[in-house]
Amino acid sequence: MNLRDGFLLGDWTVLPLEGRLQRGDDERHVTPKSMDVLLCLADAAGSVVERESLLANVWGERAVSDEPLTRCIADLRKALDDSRSDPTYIMTVPKRGYRLLTAPRELNNTAPPSAASEETLASRAARFVTLRKMLVGFAVLVLAAVVQIVIERAIDRPTDASVAAAVAPIVDDRSVAVLPFEDMTAAQDQAYFADGLAEELMSLLAGNPALTVTSRTSAFQFRESSLAAPEIGQRLGVRHLVEGSVARDGDLLRIRTQLVDAASGNIIWRDRFDQPVGNIFDIQEDISARVAATLEVSALGDTATARRTDPEAYTLYLEARHLARGGNQQEFENAIELLREAVLIDPDYAPAWAQMADVYNNLAGQGFWDWDRGFAAAREAAETAVAADPEYAGGHAELAWVAHRYDGDLRAAFAHMQRALAINSLDVTILPDAAILLLQAGQLDQAIDVLRYCIRRSPTDPRLRYNLGVTYKYADQLEGALVSFRKVREMNPDYNGAQYQLAETLLLTGEPEAALAEFEALSGYNRLKGISVTRYVMDDANGSDAALAELTETWAEKWPGVIADVYAFRGELDAAFEWLDKDYEKYGAAGWGEVRLQRWYDNLRDDDRWHAFLDKVGLDEDKLTGLNLELDIPRS
């Protein structure tokens, strides 16, 4: 049976090449990775497939954590109407992996597959996975519509060792990570609430300056992980782990939590809470206080108390935040509807308003909504958050983002960000955006400290390593950039943008052949842009012109700035300024701080038109003078 061509699974028809499952008139779609996981399970014909095997086959041998696999299993269960607690199709085998309970059958033959088949399902699936691995290197990598703006600069020329040492976690006795809480509700429909409880607990603990708390991005990569506590602690760079579970039955909560010594795996203490959902804020503060007391740090104080609201509004807020992390337009818009319900119940609940602003920012920034409409809505929601609670840092941070991305007003953006950091200077959910502003203003040395601190708090987040590499590139620290981008690819081979950045850095270091190979494996405008400039460096004028012509024909209307990149790199200054003006006319003054640092524009820097352009977009030296952020973070 050729699984890839399709098969029957219970009442479902599975069509892997289309990413589709069908049962009568009911049609469901799953992600390509989820379908690959299902193929691996189907191939095993009822045997347990170890998590490590699934990760290796679907994501490659260098998969960073179990979280992507857990998401795929949840995706499949949702599509199949399956239940974790009472499964029909996919059973979790604790500490090992997963097993398919229903045998796959041929589309045109309902008999079970013969054991005497000349080619087994295992060999066919293995061949499919091998082929897929071969194609990964040439997969389509379309960069996000909004340019990823990032930060980091080294004082000394970095090496592999110095880069690693600069961002290594500093383990101390008061370091802790809150792992995602398990949803033990019978219907398995409270994952958002379990995640929300863990995340809010994380925020409360992080409000205590005596504790070092790992960020959500890194801690949640170990959802349902089969790794032992010492291994998780080592990867996260922490001495303690908080684990827990949540079951909800109407208005009643059953919460189990424990503090674990990550070095030994021993449980230091455990507790249980069987209380009404209305007591959730008391429970969070109680757990936080227990952790603080155990680690012998002072009481959490007023700055670390939970922001209370109506329990129903809080539930809607948690569900909306969970949805918004899905990242597509429908999930964003569904999250907005939930948040609107929440603020109808409690109009003064600042976290809901700030979360709404964040979703609007994403809707505009990712091109799902009209640019003006999305950012106008974001500004209104963020202003409401600040008015409702001036001491909630998230509202100020969202206003900073609107001022930066939409208004192109760095001075206003710095003012809003400074207010956010004055409330909590160590908030690792806000600091990466602060670092972006520092980059925009050219405050690269301060940005170093911010980003390195973030990496120590979130050591398994490839986004921060990516940011590190890009800023090394801007600072002409190209060895450090190569180290960083290769580390990103080691952590996540599919990370969006890393291959392009590696290719560009190879070109800048004088390795055009290697750069060309990387560029040609891309797709979209960055492929054509990269080929054009690399062919130019290799004295292939015809090849450079051909790629530029295709780039102009295909992408000029949407992204005129990429045309300017090529002309600037090739030293054709009149054309470069013409296309820069077109980009400014289309997108306005926001975001040019990074453009100012781009190595593509080195040929423009001595031209008076360059300085006039920077003045037009608000980046002349007078406007940048005095921009700074007062921070109090540990230096690396």
Side-chain angles (χ1 to χ4, degrees), residues 435-620:
I436 289 174
L437 295 182
L438 292 168
L439 169 68
Q440 297 285 305
Q443 304 292 331
L444 300 178
D445 289 340
Q446 194 176 23
I448 274 182
D449 295 334
V450 173
L451 189 58
R452 287 180 174 172
Y453 175 75
C454 290
I455 292 175
R456 294 201 306 272
R457 290 275 301 277
S458 190
T460 63
D461 185 352
R463 174 180 60 99
L464 298 174
R465 306 279 179 165
Y466 175 93
N467 293 353
L468 180 68
V470 173
T471 308
Y472 273 138
K473 181 190 70 175
Y474 289 152
D476 199 25
Q477 306 295 327
L478 301 181
E479 293 91 340
L482 289 174
V483 170
S484 299
F485 294 134
R486 285 168 175 155
K487 179 64 175 178
V488 172
R489 292 180 73 171
E490 176 185 332
M491 297 172 73
N492 182 352
D494 297 329
Y495 189 85
N496 191 28
Q499 184 173 5
Y500 166 78
Q501 294 293 350
L502 178 61
E504 182 181 321
T505 308
L506 287 169
L507 179 64
L508 295 173
T509 56
E511 301 180 60
E513 292 83 2
L516 184 61
E518 296 286 352
F519 279 130
E520 287 180 336
L522 295 170
S523 68
Y525 58 81
N526 278 312
R527 176 180 183 274
L528 295 169
K529 180 174 77 170
I531 290 174
S532 183
V533 297
T534 306
R535 290 292 184 189
Y536 177 81
V537 169
M538 298 171 73
D539 294 323
D540 179 3
N542 291 335
S544 178
D545 287 343
L548 176 56
E550 185 179 351
L551 178 68
T552 304
E553 180 181 356
T554 309
W555 294 101
E557 182 177 350
K558 185 171 185 179
W559 300 115
V562 302
I563 316 299
D565 290 351
V566 177
Y567 280 121
F569 189 92
R570 299 195 329 182
E572 299 171 56
L573 305 192
D574 291 343
F577 283 113
E578 176 187 347
W579 285 98
L580 279 175
D581 285 335
K582 289 180 180 179
D583 197 273
Y584 172 78
E585 290 169 5
K586 187 173 184 66
Y587 292 110
W592 290 96
E594 184 186 11
V595 174
R596 179 173 55 98
L597 301 174
Q598 287 280 10
R599 294 293 307 276
W600 302 98
Y601 293 102
D602 287 353
N603 288 325
L604 308 185
R605 300 193 192 283
D606 294 331
D607 194 297
D608 289 341
R609 289 173 292 179
W610 177 247
H611 301 289
F613 180 79
L614 292 182
D615 181 57
K616 180 167 62 175
V617 299
L619 289 170
D620 61 298

Side-chain angles (χ1 to χ4, degrees), residues 154 156-168 452 468 472 480 483 636:
D156 300 317
R157 185 163 295 279
T159 63
D160 289 29
S162 67
V163 171
V167 296
R452 287 180 174 172
L468 180 68
Y472 273 138
V483 170
S636 58

Side-chain angles (χ1 to χ4, degrees), residues 242-253:
V242 177
E243 301 174 335
S245 65
V246 178
R248 185 171 179 178
D249 184 7
D251 289 334
L252 295 177
L253 288 176

